[in-house]
């Protein structure tokens, strides 16, 4: 890791501690939070009182971490809320609005099959880090958040369509809603996927950003058996431009099976996008002062519709890795411990292929078919992250691609940035 930026992991006793994860890991201009469960930090147990009490505790834990690093809740750029039952969504929104009154971050909400400790809700935040992590050159006040709304894409009263900070733009997950009617489009999952991607493209067009500036997509679907139709639609949008088609550029990608989606949708798509100009009042850079660097290696499993890692500015965004041995292109074994090890071996191979190390990982997302398998998964995880530095999210899902028991993706620091002609 370059001396110019450091991975800065921090914890506070005012929020739940986890020996396998830091509460927040800052790198460059972002703080990546571990997903927060409704755990009372004093007792280490889930709070009593039903869903609303759990929602209040989860948000309280997020706020405690935010305050412990001298930030405020309005510095949150993106929230991801996982709940067990969408009938509780109104209660979640009621709590959410007590923390955000005059500004709303981008937001993704999904219902999942299980959460750690059998919790009813889990809340995750991505936070700006105005100072950056350059020890002797603080940049507090030099960067601002930019929000934007366009009538050509659906509006949500409780989230921003887009929040840009520094060199990244984060979009709220897009549902298959026709912005003209405010209703779900009629049709099958392919039609719904097209509408989700149309909405993403409309939002990006409104801020003069091309679709090929997307560095990572996350696709949430209720039924993995319908992914062929989703992929057929996806291929019509990526690559988008002549340049991208020439080099075969595809964003990094993760596919997640969920129990339910807002409005009963079959698909929802989230995007993270490069922001080449940065956010003034810092000195405005040339549009091409930073470039996307897409990399694949034969030492890890490769999905045909996603690049293994896409670097932009100070982050490498990794596609989800399944427990597939690259030499055979097959799932390694019907054993979660072996599968967890293969996922992490693949992530390590991708990271090392771009001249980085596992210590540069700032965030790991784990999707597991059986939450009861996490004890075995954690045994393997400790061997790759003995210091427990990266922030972490664990979510239980009903199924995974190719019948896997586990899937992982990661966000990794990129100390060099990605200016042209700099390796």
């Amino acid at each position: 890791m370059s001396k110019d930026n450091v991975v800065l992991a921090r914890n506070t006793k005012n929020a739940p501690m986890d020996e396998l994860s830091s509460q927040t890991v800052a790198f460059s201009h972002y703080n990546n939070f571990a997903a927060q469960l409704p755990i009372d930090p004093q007792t280490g147990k889930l709070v009593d009182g039903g869903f609303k009490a759990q929602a209040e505790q989860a948000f309280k834990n997020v706020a405690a971490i935010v305050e412990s690093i001298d930030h405020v809740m309005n510095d949150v750029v993106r929230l991801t809320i996982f709940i067990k039952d969408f009938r509780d969504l109104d209660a979640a929104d009621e709590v959410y609005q007590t923390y955000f009154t005059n500004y709303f971050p981008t937001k993704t909400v999904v219902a999942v099959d299980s959460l750690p400790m059998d919790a009813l809700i889990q809340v995750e935040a991505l936070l700006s880090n105005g100072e950056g992590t350059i020890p002797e050159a603080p940049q507090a006040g030099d960067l601002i958040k930019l929000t934007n709304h366009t009538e050509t894409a659906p509006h949500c009263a409780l989230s921003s369509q887009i929040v840009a900070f520094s060199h990244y733009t984060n979009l709220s997950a897009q549902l298959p809603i026709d912005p003209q009617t405010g209703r779900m489009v009629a049709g099958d999952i392919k039609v719904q996927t097209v509408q989700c991607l149309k909405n993403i493209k409309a939002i990006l067009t409104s801020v003069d950003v091309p679709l090929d500036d997307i560095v990572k997509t996350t696709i949430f679907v209720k039924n993995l058996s319908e992914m062929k139709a989703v992929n057929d639609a996806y291929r019509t949008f990526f690559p988008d431009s002549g340049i991208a088609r020439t080099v075969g550029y595809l964003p990094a990608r993760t596919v997640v099976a969920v129990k339910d989606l807002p409005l009963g949708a079959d698909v929802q798509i989230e995007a993270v996008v490069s922001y080449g100009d940065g956010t003034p009042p810092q000195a405005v850079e040339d549009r091409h002062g930073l470039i996307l660097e897409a990399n694949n290696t034969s030492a890890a499993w490769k999905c045909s519709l996603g690049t293994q890692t896409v670097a932009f500015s100070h982050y490498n965004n990794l596609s989800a890795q399944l427990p597939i041995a690259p030499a055979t292109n097959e799932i390694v074994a019907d054993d979660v411990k072996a599968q967890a090890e293969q996922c992490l071996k693949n992530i390590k191979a991708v990271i090392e292929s771009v001249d980085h190390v596992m210590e540069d990982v700032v965030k790991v997302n784990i999707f597991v078919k059986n939450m009861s398998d996490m004890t075995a998964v954690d045994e393997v995880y400790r061997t790759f992250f003995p210091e427990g530095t990266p922030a972490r999210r664990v979510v239980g899902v009903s199924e995974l691609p190719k019948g896997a028991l586990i899937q992982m993706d990661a966000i990794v620091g990129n100390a060099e940035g990605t200016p042209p002609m700099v390796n």
Side-chain angles (χ1 to χ4, degrees), residues 114 367-371 373 395-400 403-406:
S114 60
F367 305 94
V368 64
K369 191 171 180 181
N370 300 303
M371 194 61 71
D373 285 339
V395 172
V397 296
S398 61
E399 57 180 336
L400 287 164
L405 300 175
I406 189 166

Side-chain angles (χ1 to χ4, degrees), residues 6 14 32 71 83 101 113 205 227 299 313 332 342 360 366 376:
V6 292
N14 296 324
N32 297 266
H71 280 264
I83 61 177
T101 54
D113 285 85
T205 300
M227 277 306 298
S313 186
V332 290
Q342 188 63 52
D360 294 337
I366 300 174

Side-chain angles (χ1 to χ4, degrees), residues 353-383:
S353 75
V354 291
D355 298 322
H356 281 267
V357 293
M358 292 294 272
E359 287 78 10
D360 294 337
V361 176
V362 297
K363 177 76 183 298
V364 176
N365 296 314
I366 300 174
F367 305 94
V368 64
K369 191 171 180 181
N370 300 303
M371 194 61 71
S372 60
D373 285 339
M374 280 308 299
T375 300
V377 171
D378 287 343
E379 285 182 32
V380 176
Y381 190 88
R382 282 186 181 93
T383 67

Side-chain angles (χ1 to χ4, degrees), residues 9-237:
R10 290 174 284 188
N11 293 287
T12 173
K13 64 181 181 181
N14 296 324
M17 305 281 280
D18 182 353
E19 65 176 357
L20 290 174
S21 172
S22 298
Q23 290 167 349
T24 178
V25 180
F27 186 74
S28 186
H29 288 121
Y30 279 95
N31 287 285
N32 297 266
F33 277 28
Q36 290 301 301
L37 291 163
I39 296 172
D40 182 335
Q42 303 303 315
T43 66
K45 297 179 180 179
L46 290 180
V47 295
D48 295 325
F51 179 85
K52 189 170 182 181
Q54 289 200 12
E56 288 170 346
Q57 186 64 53
F59 275 99
K60 185 177 179 180
N61 292 340
V62 169
I65 299 168
V66 169
E67 292 165 5
S68 76
I69 56 174
D70 298 322
H71 280 264
V72 295
M73 288 295 277
N74 274 7
D75 290 338
V76 173
V77 171
R78 185 179 72 228
L79 275 179
T80 306
I81 301 173
F82 300 94
I83 61 177
K84 293 279 293 294
D85 191 332
F86 263 136
R87 289 175 294 185
D88 291 324
L89 186 56
D90 287 344
D93 284 342
E94 187 178 337
V95 175
Y96 165 80
Q97 290 178 82
T98 66
Y99 286 89
F100 300 96
T101 54
N102 59 352
Y103 156 78
F104 292 113
T106 60
K107 190 169 68 162
T108 297
V109 182
V110 296
V112 294
D113 285 85
S114 60
L115 290 167
M117 300 179 69
D118 203 27
L120 301 176
I121 184 171
Q122 180 173 252
V123 180
E124 178 185 280
L126 178 69
L127 192 75
S128 65
N129 188 39
E131 300 81 9
T133 53
I134 301 173
E136 297 180 359
Q139 301 173 37
D142 288 347
L143 296 166
I144 59 171
K145 295 195 311 297
L146 297 177
T147 61
N148 192 74
H149 289 274
T150 175
E151 297 297 328
T152 58
H155 280 256
C156 173
L158 297 180
S159 66
S160 297
Q161 285 176 346
I162 191 170
V163 179
F165 184 76
S166 185
H167 288 122
Y168 275 90
T169 297
N170 292 271
L171 272 64
S172 285
Q174 288 300 302
L175 289 162
I177 296 173
D178 181 339
Q180 302 301 317
T181 64
R183 297 179 180 179
M184 290 264 297
V185 294
D188 61 12
I189 195 169
K190 187 173 182 180
V191 173
Q192 290 192 20
T193 303
V194 167
Q195 188 63 52
C196 290
L197 291 166
K198 279 184 177 179
N199 292 341
I200 288 171
K201 188 168 187 176
I203 293 169
L204 294 182
T205 300
S206 75
V207 291
D208 204 21
V209 172
L211 199 67
D212 285 319
D213 277 4
I214 294 175
V215 297
K216 174 75 186 285
T217 61
T218 301
I219 301 174
F220 300 97
V221 294
K222 290 199 294 192
N223 191 340
L224 278 183
S225 67
E226 296 187 306
M227 277 306 298
K228 183 183 183 303
V230 171
N231 289 337
D232 287 345
Y234 194 86
R235 286 186 181 94
T236 66
F237 285 82

